[in-house]
Amino acid sequence: MDSDSQHLHWMQEAMAMAEEALAAGEVPVGCVFVRDEKIIAQARNRTNQLRNATRHAELEAIDEILADKTLTPTVTKYPLSTTTLYVTVEPCIMCASALRQLGIREVYYGCGNDRFGGCGSVLGVNSSLKHPEHPEYKATGGYRREDAIMILRRFYITENTNAPVPKLKTNRVLKTEIV
């Protein structure tokens, strides 16, 4: 399998997690962490379910990895240095920073995040900002981009009953054209 096909395969797995998030009433973001050509952790957003704004898909999976002694058998400064992340939406500034601090090898994502993106859309936490200690990582967007945008649109045309002040969206129409 060539590298593009492989990236699309892993991104499909991340999209399955995003679909699970959508079904649970969460912002539909999903991710998988891959090491040695296999998924070692997968997660979806759980911010509404847990009422905790930090429970993004990436942090949920990182917690799983760090808690599992078979995945992190020894304490090391960069436990994700041999791990690649596939996530449906560009990691936010918080997640991008955590990934850098944990030494992620590389990140592939679906669509950019124009409001909170930490891999270049808003701030380049992954590589543009110099850090005296933590290494940069490469982040590449565009894998299953249209699918990632459409699942977000499907979520945002619905009523979010978990929002602090829900907005009425009864007249919203799903836009299917992507530029």
Side-chain angles (χ1 to χ4, degrees), residues 59-145:
L59 297 181
E60 285 285 302
I62 287 168
D63 284 352
E64 186 180 320
I65 293 167
L66 296 178
D68 187 335
K69 298 268 191 240
T70 63
L71 297 175
T72 52
T74 57
V75 176
T76 175
K77 185 172 185 175
Y78 297 118
L80 300 180
S81 65
T82 60
T83 308
T84 300
L85 168 64
Y86 292 86
V87 60
T88 57
V89 178
E90 174 188 2
C92 72
I93 293 168
M94 172 182 68
C95 292
S97 179
L99 291 164
R100 187 166 181 175
Q101 291 173 54
L102 294 168
I104 192 78
R105 179 174 52 198
E106 197 166 9
V107 173
Y108 293 91
Y109 61 88
C111 63
N113 183 342
D114 294 337
R115 292 185 68 199
F116 308 108
C119 294
S121 290
V122 175
L123 193 62
V125 175
N126 65 308
S127 62
S128 298
L129 295 176
K130 297 299 173 212
H131 193 281
E133 192 171 351
H134 303 304
E136 311 179 344
Y137 61 90
K138 182 180 174 188
T140 306
Y143 287 92
R144 307 281 316 256
R145 177 181 173 270

Side-chain angles (χ1 to χ4, degrees), residues 3-44:
S3 66
D4 248 12
S5 297
Q6 192 174 28
H7 297 320
L8 291 170
H9 167 74
W10 296 126
M11 191 58 73
Q12 176 57 39
E13 297 293 328
M15 286 301 302
M17 295 306 297
E19 287 286 350
E20 190 177 301
L22 180 65
E26 298 281 354
V27 175
V29 177
C31 71
V32 296
F33 283 77
V34 176
R35 184 184 296 157
D36 299 326
E37 299 183 36
K38 66 178 184 182
I39 294 174
I40 62 166
Q42 58 188 14
R44 63 172 176 80

